[in-house]
Amino acid sequence: MPELPEVETIARGLSKRVTGDTIESVWIGSRHQPLKSPAQEIAATLDGATIARVRRVGKQIVFDLESPRGRAQWIVHLGMTGKMLVAPPELPVEKHTHLIARLASGREVRFVDPRMFGKLSVVPEHGFRAAGEEPLDVGVELFAGLFRRRKTPIKSALLNQKLLSGIGNIYADESLFRARVRPRRRAASLTRDELKRLYHAVQEVLNEAIAAGGSSVSDYVDAEGEPGFFQLQHRVYQRTGEPCLVCRAPIKRVIVAGRGTHYCPRCQK
DNA sequence: ACTATGTCCTGCGAGC
DNA sequence: TGCTCGCAGGACATAG
């Protein structure tokens, strides 16, 4: 599922291939679940707009658009199974394609999302605000302050996009393992040292994952249709019963915040 | 003001 | 072999 490193990889790929290009026409499928803004409004905003910039904010892809009608932003959240592909027009349109933007260069940007947890919207210029802090930009003091006085499990807090934007199930588990903190620990119970370890673990995991092009665990591919490789470096995620890479104890799986959660019962306190 | 839980959706794999 | 069923989970609604 696309979390910060996957979305970063996709946004970089899109940026490289569509910046400066102009959307000449837009097709939107009849399944409207993935749309947060009305289909008509999305089509009208994209149609004829030039893509000035593509970037990642939290887990969303933000397209800065310029057109004779003014500036706007196209916001794409990939949900669990969303893909943004840059494709030649002759490439067969795969099932669950919800939007196709045809570009002046001849290429197409396609939004594909089988499970339809993804969301598309358009907002006025500068209309989009990230809910929480960027995990890779935040300082250690502000980071630690986010968890103070919170009774919720630390894993739930990591998944809360209003605190930090971009961490999902994979990177929450991997970060907690590296920080040697159990996912069910109450956030407020973490010591200063543990919070510091967690801060560095989050940065390390996210940066390593970006370098590997993200994790391909379900059907994630980047804008060019290429998978990522960070799943090969997962130390706990989906390794239930396998030996911990540090102490050989079998990795445990429990449910926290309704999510499958993996940890080492010996290394993580 | 927080926190916990159910819901949306389709594809896939386990189990019979 | 072929079927059914349950699970996967990001964000939000709703309940407590």
Side-chain angles (χ1 to χ4, degrees), chain A residues 36 55-64 72-77 121-132 134 165:
Chain A
K36 266 169 86 179
R55 61 206 153 95
R56 175 197 62 79
V57 176
K59 289 181 194 171
Q60 29 269 310
I61 302 165
V62 178
F63 292 80
D64 292 319
Q73 294 180 314
W74 178 25
I75 313 299
V76 179
H77 192 300
S121 58
V122 288
V123 296
E125 182 184 16
H126 304 136
F128 180 71
R129 289 273 171 276
E134 273 293 328
S165 294

Side-chain angles (χ1 to χ4, degrees), chain A residues 26 34 39 43 48 57 67 69 78 94 111 131 142 144 159 182 222 229 233 243 252:
Chain A
V26 180
V57 176
S67 84
R69 299 180 302 278
L78 297 170
E94 56 184 290
F111 173 68
L142 185 46
L159 294 176
R182 287 207 188 192
D222 68 15
F229 296 98
Q233 296 175 56
K252 284 191 81 167

